[in-house]
Amino acid sequence: SGGIVVVIGSIHDDRFSYVDRLPAPGETVLAGSSDRGIGGKGANQAIAAARLGAGVTMTAMVGEDEAGLAATAGLAGHSVSVDTVGRVAGEVTGYAAITVDAAGENSIVVHSGANQALDPGAAERAVAQLPADRRAVVVCQCEIPQATVAAAAAATRAPHRFLLNLAPAVPVDPGTLRRANPLVVNLVEAAQVAGHLGVTPEGNNPRDLLTALLGYAPAVVITLGADGALIGDDSGVEHVPAVRPAEIVDTTGAGDAFVGAVAAYLASGATLPDAVRAGCAAGSVAVSRRGTATSYPDVADLATAGTAAHRG
Ligand code: RIB
Ligand code: NA
């Protein structure tokens, strides 16, 4: 381990409400409990990679408020370098209102706030700082301006590698997709991206979606929750089975645990299938505990999850 991961992405102040069931339109429900923590897909992925031993730098923007200070301190507390986390005057730190039901399913509303001020120049500087003689993985998600994601993609050159988690599934330009190695999406996002590209396969099944997206990105990973993940690249298609969680408590940010683990393993030289296997194990640990970052595994947790899966 010990590879270099640079996350260019979002930081949110996550506000959780735990309810029996999600409210219907017009309905008020009372939460059984609530919680607050560092979130945002970017911050979550940075912490997930750092927990697994990667040397992680986060490039992001927070507001000039207490939430921004707390999130930055929290990232640093997880050994993520925050030298390139900036503060935007007069803006609020992004926040997410997250509701989790008794089955561990969630719904999330995000207010981006300061994240919208993360400009392309910040992404270019983050990539330019990378040592030319060591392999690094540059990771973006889509809760920051699209131009910034495009700049990160365009700036990343071998031996470094650009990982794009197209979540949420906003339209992205073809040049960015061509540099996504890999593109990581869940099944819903895969269908949305295929829709944006005008290549929706009949029936929307995972393998056909994978094939369709491989026309745009050199490597594609579609996560399938309890069914594991599908990987496609020029060496073919591979299905990686899921690691069964002990129980499903909270699925929030499980996809970020997956992406962070994939990035950490790729950065340390793992093959894409091995990195995806680590990602599946990380996701399985994450769903078995409450919250996002607080639920992410370290190397020992991952080994335990993998071994338990092996025993069936
Ligand atoms: O993927 C989970 C994350 O999505 C949460 O932490 C929330 O902040 C939203 O960005
Ligand atoms: Na969790």
Side-chain angles (χ1 to χ4, degrees), residues 19 28 31 34 38 44-45 72 87 106 111 126 128-129 145 159 164 191 207 225 237 240 257 265 298 305:
V19 299
T28 300
S34 68
I38 315 171
N44 291 343
Q45 293 173 15
T72 307
R87 275 158 73 81
N106 64 73
H111 172 70
Q129 276 171 16
L164 177 62
R207 280 196 184 246
V237 172
V240 171
Y265 275 71
D298 60 16

Side-chain angles (χ1 to χ4, degrees), residues 49-63:
R51 299 264 300 153
L52 293 171
V56 184
T57 300
M58 175 104 209
T59 295
M61 283 292 187
V62 294

